Amino acid sequence: MSVNEAKWKANQEKVAFLKQFPGLLRSWDEATGRTVMSVTAIEHSEAKVLMLDNGTFAIVPPLATEPKQLRDGIESAKARLRDLYPDAYREYEALAQRDREATRTARLENILGAIHNNLDDIPELKDRIQSLVKQWNS
């Protein structure tokens, strides 16, 4: 076996062992009901080691701060968060409704703008729109 093959094999064995290290959580379901005992920084990384009360641990990335992840997470925990933070959850729901309405209005304006901007270049557009309106009304 060459030196490079030996190095590759040694690395593969090390990685396989790390993935099976005693106490390493394989899923978040395994942490249900557990208490976080400590959060330890990993040198040269934004990840952390979460140590749980039963000796299990997880290596976790930085907390989610992307708006979609925050929204999805807050909505997934809606029942609990609404009970814990009713004022904040009501404010979030009001802001979300305002955002939905602004999105709807912006879409409407974009469609109307596209129609207006294309009337001169697409003469049959007006007839097609009138036909569509008649179809809706019947």
Side-chain angles (χ1 to χ4, degrees):
M1 175 182 304
S2 75
V3 173
N4 288 333
E5 289 172 330
K7 161 59 178 130
W8 181 83
K9 184 177 181 190
N11 186 59
Q12 291 299 315
E13 290 172 356
K14 176 188 72 177
V15 169
F17 180 78
L18 289 172
K19 289 181 177 184
Q20 298 300 312
F21 202 91
L24 177 63
L25 294 179
R26 309 278 183 290
S27 76
W28 283 116
D29 292 335
E30 295 177 51
T32 301
R34 307 287 9 147
T35 300
V36 174
M37 300 304 289
S38 67
V39 178
T40 305
I42 298 173
E43 195 173 329
H44 308 295
S45 173
E46 292 185 29
K48 306 286 186 214
V49 179
L50 295 186
M51 292 296 302
L52 304 181
D53 60 348
N54 65 346
T56 59
F57 68 98
I59 312 300
V60 298
L63 295 176
T65 57
E66 292 298 316
K68 182 183 181 335
Q69 292 173 317
L70 292 173
R71 183 195 68 226
D72 291 350
I74 287 170
E75 289 180 3
S76 293
K78 178 179 184 175
R80 183 82 170 114
L81 291 174
R82 191 184 313 144
D83 289 345
L84 288 170
Y85 308 105
D87 294 338
Y89 208 88
R90 273 192 301 279
E91 183 175 352
Y92 163 70
E93 286 178 327
L95 291 168
Q97 177 58 36
R98 191 171 93 195
D99 182 48
R100 284 189 296 273
E101 182 58 27
T103 299
R104 190 190 71 75
T105 301
R107 285 179 181 160
L108 175 63
E109 290 301 316
N110 286 340
I111 291 166
L112 293 174
I115 292 169
H116 179 76
N117 290 335
N118 287 288
L119 279 176
D120 292 338
D121 295 334
I122 308 172
E124 67 272 17
L125 183 58
K126 184 176 178 182
D127 293 334
R128 297 284 300 270
I129 292 170
Q130 287 174 339
S131 173
L132 187 58
V133 170
K134 283 179 187 175
Q135 185 181 6
W136 290 332
N137 291 331
S138 59

mmCIF file with all atom_site columns, all heavy atoms in Angstrom, residues 71 75 88-103:
data_model
loop_
_atom_site.group_PDB
_atom_site.id
_atom_site.type_symbol
_atom_site.label_atom_id
_atom_site.label_alt_id
_atom_site.label_comp_id
_atom_site.label_asym_id
_atom_site.label_entity_id
_atom_site.label_seq_id
_atom_site.pdbx_PDB_ins_code
_atom_site.Cartn_x
_atom_site.Cartn_y
_atom_site.Cartn_z
_atom_site.occupancy
_atom_site.B_iso_or_equiv
_atom_site.pdbx_formal_charge
_atom_site.auth_seq_id
_atom_site.auth_comp_id
_atom_site.auth_asym_id
_atom_site.auth_atom_id
_atom_site.pdbx_PDB_model_num
ATOM 1   N N   . ARG A 1 71  ? -39.080 33.110 9.615  1.00 0.00 ? 71  ARG A N   1
ATOM 2   C CA  . ARG A 1 71  ? -40.537 33.049 9.434  1.00 0.00 ? 71  ARG A CA  1
ATOM 3   C C   . ARG A 1 71  ? -41.037 31.611 9.573  1.00 0.00 ? 71  ARG A C   1
ATOM 4   O O   . ARG A 1 71  ? -41.984 31.338 10.306 1.00 0.00 ? 71  ARG A O   1
ATOM 5   C CB  . ARG A 1 71  ? -40.925 33.608 8.068  1.00 0.00 ? 71  ARG A CB  1
ATOM 6   C CG  . ARG A 1 71  ? -42.447 33.632 7.854  1.00 0.00 ? 71  ARG A CG  1
ATOM 7   C CD  . ARG A 1 71  ? -42.838 33.827 6.412  1.00 0.00 ? 71  ARG A CD  1
ATOM 8   N NE  . ARG A 1 71  ? -42.445 32.635 5.667  1.00 0.00 ? 71  ARG A NE  1
ATOM 9   C CZ  . ARG A 1 71  ? -41.807 32.667 4.499  1.00 0.00 ? 71  ARG A CZ  1
ATOM 10  N NH1 . ARG A 1 71  ? -41.476 33.792 3.935  1.00 0.00 ? 71  ARG A NH1 1
ATOM 11  N NH2 . ARG A 1 71  ? -41.495 31.539 3.885  1.00 0.00 ? 71  ARG A NH2 1
ATOM 12  N N   . GLU A 1 75  ? -43.434 30.380 12.574 1.00 0.00 ? 75  GLU A N   1
ATOM 13  C CA  . GLU A 1 75  ? -44.746 29.844 12.235 1.00 0.00 ? 75  GLU A CA  1
ATOM 14  C C   . GLU A 1 75  ? -44.885 28.377 12.650 1.00 0.00 ? 75  GLU A C   1
ATOM 15  O O   . GLU A 1 75  ? -45.963 27.941 13.032 1.00 0.00 ? 75  GLU A O   1
ATOM 16  C CB  . GLU A 1 75  ? -45.047 30.053 10.757 1.00 0.00 ? 75  GLU A CB  1
ATOM 17  C CG  . GLU A 1 75  ? -45.314 31.526 10.457 1.00 0.00 ? 75  GLU A CG  1
ATOM 18  C CD  . GLU A 1 75  ? -45.626 31.827 9.004  1.00 0.00 ? 75  GLU A CD  1
ATOM 19  O OE1 . GLU A 1 75  ? -45.708 30.891 8.187  1.00 0.00 ? 75  GLU A OE1 1
ATOM 20  O OE2 . GLU A 1 75  ? -45.781 33.013 8.694  1.00 0.00 ? 75  GLU A OE2 1
ATOM 21  N N   . ALA A 1 88  ? -46.021 40.158 20.799 1.00 0.00 ? 88  ALA A N   1
ATOM 22  C CA  . ALA A 1 88  ? -45.081 40.062 19.678 1.00 0.00 ? 88  ALA A CA  1
ATOM 23  C C   . ALA A 1 88  ? -45.683 39.246 18.541 1.00 0.00 ? 88  ALA A C   1
ATOM 24  O O   . ALA A 1 88  ? -45.523 39.594 17.366 1.00 0.00 ? 88  ALA A O   1
ATOM 25  C CB  . ALA A 1 88  ? -43.763 39.438 20.136 1.00 0.00 ? 88  ALA A CB  1
ATOM 26  N N   . TYR A 1 89  ? -46.402 38.170 18.882 1.00 0.00 ? 89  TYR A N   1
ATOM 27  C CA  . TYR A 1 89  ? -46.979 37.348 17.817 1.00 0.00 ? 89  TYR A CA  1
ATOM 28  C C   . TYR A 1 89  ? -48.087 38.094 17.088 1.00 0.00 ? 89  TYR A C   1
ATOM 29  O O   . TYR A 1 89  ? -48.199 38.006 15.870 1.00 0.00 ? 89  TYR A O   1
ATOM 30  C CB  . TYR A 1 89  ? -47.483 35.995 18.342 1.00 0.00 ? 89  TYR A CB  1
ATOM 31  C CG  . TYR A 1 89  ? -47.422 34.978 17.237 1.00 0.00 ? 89  TYR A CG  1
ATOM 32  C CD1 . TYR A 1 89  ? -46.267 34.238 17.019 1.00 0.00 ? 89  TYR A CD1 1
ATOM 33  C CD2 . TYR A 1 89  ? -48.478 34.808 16.348 1.00 0.00 ? 89  TYR A CD2 1
ATOM 34  C CE1 . TYR A 1 89  ? -46.170 33.350 15.972 1.00 0.00 ? 89  TYR A CE1 1
ATOM 35  C CE2 . TYR A 1 89  ? -48.394 33.912 15.302 1.00 0.00 ? 89  TYR A CE2 1
ATOM 36  C CZ  . TYR A 1 89  ? -47.244 33.195 15.110 1.00 0.00 ? 89  TYR A CZ  1
ATOM 37  O OH  . TYR A 1 89  ? -47.139 32.323 14.056 1.00 0.00 ? 89  TYR A OH  1
ATOM 38  N N   . ARG A 1 90  ? -48.903 38.869 17.824 1.00 0.00 ? 90  ARG A N   1
ATOM 39  C CA  . ARG A 1 90  ? -49.933 39.688 17.165 1.00 0.00 ? 90  ARG A CA  1
ATOM 40  C C   . ARG A 1 90  ? -49.290 40.707 16.238 1.00 0.00 ? 90  ARG A C   1
ATOM 41  O O   . ARG A 1 90  ? -49.759 40.947 15.129 1.00 0.00 ? 90  ARG A O   1
ATOM 42  C CB  . ARG A 1 90  ? -50.809 40.387 18.205 1.00 0.00 ? 90  ARG A CB  1
ATOM 43  C CG  . ARG A 1 90  ? -51.983 39.553 18.670 1.00 0.00 ? 90  ARG A CG  1
ATOM 44  C CD  . ARG A 1 90  ? -52.986 40.369 19.465 1.00 0.00 ? 90  ARG A CD  1
ATOM 45  N NE  . ARG A 1 90  ? -52.421 41.002 20.655 1.00 0.00 ? 90  ARG A NE  1
ATOM 46  C CZ  . ARG A 1 90  ? -52.233 40.369 21.814 1.00 0.00 ? 90  ARG A CZ  1
ATOM 47  N NH1 . ARG A 1 90  ? -52.580 39.104 21.935 1.00 0.00 ? 90  ARG A NH1 1
ATOM 48  N NH2 . ARG A 1 90  ? -51.723 40.999 22.843 1.00 0.00 ? 90  ARG A NH2 1
ATOM 49  N N   . GLU A 1 91  ? -48.197 41.313 16.689 1.00 0.00 ? 91  GLU A N   1
ATOM 50  C CA  . GLU A 1 91  ? -47.497 42.295 15.845 1.00 0.00 ? 91  GLU A CA  1
ATOM 51  C C   . GLU A 1 91  ? -46.933 41.623 14.601 1.00 0.00 ? 91  GLU A C   1
ATOM 52  O O   . GLU A 1 91  ? -47.034 42.155 13.495 1.00 0.00 ? 91  GLU A O   1
ATOM 53  C CB  . GLU A 1 91  ? -46.385 42.990 16.633 1.00 0.00 ? 91  GLU A CB  1
ATOM 54  C CG  . GLU A 1 91  ? -45.688 44.069 15.820 1.00 0.00 ? 91  GLU A CG  1
ATOM 55  C CD  . GLU A 1 91  ? -44.665 44.857 16.615 1.00 0.00 ? 91  GLU A CD  1
ATOM 56  O OE1 . GLU A 1 91  ? -44.568 44.691 17.848 1.00 0.00 ? 91  GLU A OE1 1
ATOM 57  O OE2 . GLU A 1 91  ? -43.945 45.652 15.981 1.00 0.00 ? 91  GLU A OE2 1
ATOM 58  N N   . TYR A 1 92  ? -46.335 40.437 14.773 1.00 0.00 ? 92  TYR A N   1
ATOM 59  C CA  . TYR A 1 92  ? -45.821 39.694 13.618 1.00 0.00 ? 92  TYR A CA  1
ATOM 60  C C   . TYR A 1 92  ? -46.948 39.401 12.627 1.00 0.00 ? 92  TYR A C   1
ATOM 61  O O   . TYR A 1 92  ? -46.791 39.596 11.423 1.00 0.00 ? 92  TYR A O   1
ATOM 62  C CB  . TYR A 1 92  ? -45.157 38.383 14.056 1.00 0.00 ? 92  TYR A CB  1
ATOM 63  C CG  . TYR A 1 92  ? -44.991 37.429 12.913 1.00 0.00 ? 92  TYR A CG  1
ATOM 64  C CD1 . TYR A 1 92  ? -44.067 37.690 11.902 1.00 0.00 ? 92  TYR A CD1 1
ATOM 65  C CD2 . TYR A 1 92  ? -45.804 36.299 12.793 1.00 0.00 ? 92  TYR A CD2 1
ATOM 66  C CE1 . TYR A 1 92  ? -43.943 36.835 10.816 1.00 0.00 ? 92  TYR A CE1 1
ATOM 67  C CE2 . TYR A 1 92  ? -45.674 35.453 11.713 1.00 0.00 ? 92  TYR A CE2 1
ATOM 68  C CZ  . TYR A 1 92  ? -44.754 35.722 10.730 1.00 0.00 ? 92  TYR A CZ  1
ATOM 69  O OH  . TYR A 1 92  ? -44.647 34.891 9.647  1.00 0.00 ? 92  TYR A OH  1
ATOM 70  N N   . GLU A 1 93  ? -48.096 38.922 13.134 1.00 0.00 ? 93  GLU A N   1
ATOM 71  C CA  . GLU A 1 93  ? -49.213 38.610 12.241 1.00 0.00 ? 93  GLU A CA  1
ATOM 72  C C   . GLU A 1 93  ? -49.706 39.851 11.507 1.00 0.00 ? 93  GLU A C   1
ATOM 73  O O   . GLU A 1 93  ? -50.033 39.787 10.325 1.00 0.00 ? 93  GLU A O   1
ATOM 74  C CB  . GLU A 1 93  ? -50.349 37.942 13.021 1.00 0.00 ? 93  GLU A CB  1
ATOM 75  C CG  . GLU A 1 93  ? -50.018 36.509 13.395 1.00 0.00 ? 93  GLU A CG  1
ATOM 76  C CD  . GLU A 1 93  ? -51.103 35.824 14.202 1.00 0.00 ? 93  GLU A CD  1
ATOM 77  O OE1 . GLU A 1 93  ? -51.785 36.503 15.002 1.00 0.00 ? 93  GLU A OE1 1
ATOM 78  O OE2 . GLU A 1 93  ? -51.265 34.601 14.027 1.00 0.00 ? 93  GLU A OE2 1
ATOM 79  N N   . ALA A 1 94  ? -49.743 40.997 12.189 1.00 0.00 ? 94  ALA A N   1
ATOM 80  C CA  . ALA A 1 94  ? -50.159 42.242 11.539 1.00 0.00 ? 94  ALA A CA  1
ATOM 81  C C   . ALA A 1 94  ? -49.156 42.644 10.453 1.00 0.00 ? 94  ALA A C   1
ATOM 82  O O   . ALA A 1 94  ? -49.547 43.063 9.346  1.00 0.00 ? 94  ALA A O   1
ATOM 83  C CB  . ALA A 1 94  ? -50.309 43.363 12.574 1.00 0.00 ? 94  ALA A CB  1
ATOM 84  N N   . LEU A 1 95  ? -47.877 42.524 10.756 1.00 0.00 ? 95  LEU A N   1
ATOM 85  C CA  . LEU A 1 95  ? -46.845 42.856 9.765  1.00 0.00 ? 95  LEU A CA  1
ATOM 86  C C   . LEU A 1 95  ? -46.887 41.893 8.585  1.00 0.00 ? 95  LEU A C   1
ATOM 87  O O   . LEU A 1 95  ? -46.722 42.306 7.433  1.00 0.00 ? 95  LEU A O   1
ATOM 88  C CB  . LEU A 1 95  ? -45.458 42.834 10.418 1.00 0.00 ? 95  LEU A CB  1
ATOM 89  C CG  . LEU A 1 95  ? -45.189 43.957 11.421 1.00 0.00 ? 95  LEU A CG  1
ATOM 90  C CD1 . LEU A 1 95  ? -43.919 43.667 12.203 1.00 0.00 ? 95  LEU A CD1 1
ATOM 91  C CD2 . LEU A 1 95  ? -45.114 45.310 10.717 1.00 0.00 ? 95  LEU A CD2 1
ATOM 92  N N   . ALA A 1 96  ? -47.127 40.622 8.854  1.00 0.00 ? 96  ALA A N   1
ATOM 93  C CA  . ALA A 1 96  ? -47.215 39.630 7.780  1.00 0.00 ? 96  ALA A CA  1
ATOM 94  C C   . ALA A 1 96  ? -48.418 39.928 6.884  1.00 0.00 ? 96  ALA A C   1
ATOM 95  O O   . ALA A 1 96  ? -48.321 39.836 5.656  1.00 0.00 ? 96  ALA A O   1
ATOM 96  C CB  . ALA A 1 96  ? -47.311 38.220 8.365  1.00 0.00 ? 96  ALA A CB  1
ATOM 97  N N   . GLN A 1 97  ? -49.536 40.308 7.491  1.00 0.00 ? 97  GLN A N   1
ATOM 98  C CA  . GLN A 1 97  ? -50.718 40.662 6.695  1.00 0.00 ? 97  GLN A CA  1
ATOM 99  C C   . GLN A 1 97  ? -50.448 41.904 5.850  1.00 0.00 ? 97  GLN A C   1
ATOM 100 O O   . GLN A 1 97  ? -50.816 41.965 4.674  1.00 0.00 ? 97  GLN A O   1
ATOM 101 C CB  . GLN A 1 97  ? -51.934 40.893 7.614  1.00 0.00 ? 97  GLN A CB  1
ATOM 102 C CG  . GLN A 1 97  ? -53.179 41.335 6.881  1.00 0.00 ? 97  GLN A CG  1
ATOM 103 C CD  . GLN A 1 97  ? -53.619 40.348 5.802  1.00 0.00 ? 97  GLN A CD  1
ATOM 104 O OE1 . GLN A 1 97  ? -53.500 39.140 5.967  1.00 0.00 ? 97  GLN A OE1 1
ATOM 105 N NE2 . GLN A 1 97  ? -54.105 40.862 4.691  1.00 0.00 ? 97  GLN A NE2 1
ATOM 106 N N   . ARG A 1 98  ? -49.783 42.882 6.437  1.00 0.00 ? 98  ARG A N   1
ATOM 107 C CA  . ARG A 1 98  ? -49.434 44.101 5.689  1.00 0.00 ? 98  ARG A CA  1
ATOM 108 C C   . ARG A 1 98  ? -48.521 43.764 4.518  1.00 0.00 ? 98  ARG A C   1
ATOM 109 O O   . ARG A 1 98  ? -48.685 44.286 3.418  1.00 0.00 ? 98  ARG A O   1
ATOM 110 C CB  . ARG A 1 98  ? -48.782 45.116 6.625  1.00 0.00 ? 98  ARG A CB  1
ATOM 111 C CG  . ARG A 1 98  ? -48.633 46.496 5.992  1.00 0.00 ? 98  ARG A CG  1
ATOM 112 C CD  . ARG A 1 98  ? -48.195 47.511 6.995  1.00 0.00 ? 98  ARG A CD  1
ATOM 113 N NE  . ARG A 1 98  ? -46.746 47.574 6.949  1.00 0.00 ? 98  ARG A NE  1
ATOM 114 C CZ  . ARG A 1 98  ? -45.984 48.132 7.863  1.00 0.00 ? 98  ARG A CZ  1
ATOM 115 N NH1 . ARG A 1 98  ? -46.523 48.645 8.945  1.00 0.00 ? 98  ARG A NH1 1
ATOM 116 N NH2 . ARG A 1 98  ? -44.686 48.159 7.733  1.00 0.00 ? 98  ARG A NH2 1
ATOM 117 N N   . ASP A 1 99  ? -47.568 42.863 4.733  1.00 0.00 ? 99  ASP A N   1
ATOM 118 C CA  . ASP A 1 99  ? -46.663 42.437 3.670  1.00 0.00 ? 99  ASP A CA  1
ATOM 119 C C   . ASP A 1 99  ? -47.426 41.711 2.561  1.00 0.00 ? 99  ASP A C   1
ATOM 120 O O   . ASP A 1 99  ? -47.179 41.936 1.378  1.00 0.00 ? 99  ASP A O   1
ATOM 121 C CB  . ASP A 1 99  ? -45.561 41.540 4.250  1.00 0.00 ? 99  ASP A CB  1
ATOM 122 C CG  . ASP A 1 99  ? -44.569 41.096 3.200  1.00 0.00 ? 99  ASP A CG  1
ATOM 123 O OD1 . ASP A 1 99  ? -44.081 41.958 2.421  1.00 0.00 ? 99  ASP A OD1 1
ATOM 124 O OD2 . ASP A 1 99  ? -44.283 39.889 3.133  1.00 0.00 ? 99  ASP A OD2 1
ATOM 125 N N   . ARG A 1 100 ? -48.356 40.816 2.946  1.00 0.00 ? 100 ARG A N   1
ATOM 126 C CA  . ARG A 1 100 ? -49.156 40.111 1.932  1.00 0.00 ? 100 ARG A CA  1
ATOM 127 C C   . ARG A 1 100 ? -49.973 41.094 1.095  1.00 0.00 ? 100 ARG A C   1
ATOM 128 O O   . ARG A 1 100 ? -50.057 40.969 -0.124 1.00 0.00 ? 100 ARG A O   1
ATOM 129 C CB  . ARG A 1 100 ? -50.077 39.076 2.591  1.00 0.00 ? 100 ARG A CB  1
ATOM 130 C CG  . ARG A 1 100 ? -49.362 37.815 3.039  1.00 0.00 ? 100 ARG A CG  1
ATOM 131 C CD  . ARG A 1 100 ? -50.329 36.727 3.482  1.00 0.00 ? 100 ARG A CD  1
ATOM 132 N NE  . ARG A 1 100 ? -51.098 37.082 4.655  1.00 0.00 ? 100 ARG A NE  1
ATOM 133 C CZ  . ARG A 1 100 ? -50.703 36.894 5.907  1.00 0.00 ? 100 ARG A CZ  1
ATOM 134 N NH1 . ARG A 1 100 ? -49.517 36.355 6.160  1.00 0.00 ? 100 ARG A NH1 1
ATOM 135 N NH2 . ARG A 1 100 ? -51.482 37.227 6.918  1.00 0.00 ? 100 ARG A NH2 1
ATOM 136 N N   . GLU A 1 101 ? -50.569 42.077 1.745  1.00 0.00 ? 101 GLU A N   1
ATOM 137 C CA  . GLU A 1 101 ? -51.374 43.065 1.031  1.00 0.00 ? 101 GLU A CA  1
ATOM 138 C C   . GLU A 1 101 ? -50.487 43.926 0.118  1.00 0.00 ? 101 GLU A C   1
ATOM 139 O O   . GLU A 1 101 ? -50.861 44.224 -1.018 1.00 0.00 ? 101 GLU A O   1
ATOM 140 C CB  . GLU A 1 101 ? -52.144 43.947 2.016  1.00 0.00 ? 101 GLU A CB  1
ATOM 141 C CG  . GLU A 1 101 ? -53.045 44.964 1.364  1.00 0.00 ? 101 GLU A CG  1
ATOM 142 C CD  . GLU A 1 101 ? -54.098 44.370 0.433  1.00 0.00 ? 101 GLU A CD  1
ATOM 143 O OE1 . GLU A 1 101 ? -54.514 43.204 0.627  1.00 0.00 ? 101 GLU A OE1 1
ATOM 144 O OE2 . GLU A 1 101 ? -54.506 45.074 -0.507 1.00 0.00 ? 101 GLU A OE2 1
ATOM 145 N N   . ALA A 1 102 ? -49.315 44.300 0.602  1.00 0.00 ? 102 ALA A N   1
ATOM 146 C CA  . ALA A 1 102 ? -48.392 45.084 -0.229 1.00 0.00 ? 102 ALA A CA  1
ATOM 147 C C   . ALA A 1 102 ? -47.934 44.271 -1.436 1.00 0.00 ? 102 ALA A C   1
ATOM 148 O O   . ALA A 1 102 ? -47.802 44.809 -2.546 1.00 0.00 ? 102 ALA A O   1
ATOM 149 C CB  . ALA A 1 102 ? -47.187 45.539 0.601  1.00 0.00 ? 102 ALA A CB  1
ATOM 150 N N   . THR A 1 103 ? -47.704 42.986 -1.243 1.00 0.00 ? 103 THR A N   1
ATOM 151 C CA  . THR A 1 103 ? -47.319 42.102 -2.350 1.00 0.00 ? 103 THR A CA  1
ATOM 152 C C   . THR A 1 103 ? -48.431 42.021 -3.381 1.00 0.00 ? 103 THR A C   1
ATOM 153 O O   . THR A 1 103 ? -48.197 42.121 -4.585 1.00 0.00 ? 103 THR A O   1
ATOM 154 C CB  . THR A 1 103 ? -46.982 40.692 -1.821 1.00 0.00 ? 103 THR A CB  1
ATOM 155 O OG1 . THR A 1 103 ? -45.881 40.797 -0.928 1.00 0.00 ? 103 THR A OG1 1
ATOM 156 C CG2 . THR A 1 103 ? -46.637 39.735 -2.947 1.00 0.00 ? 103 THR A CG2 1
#
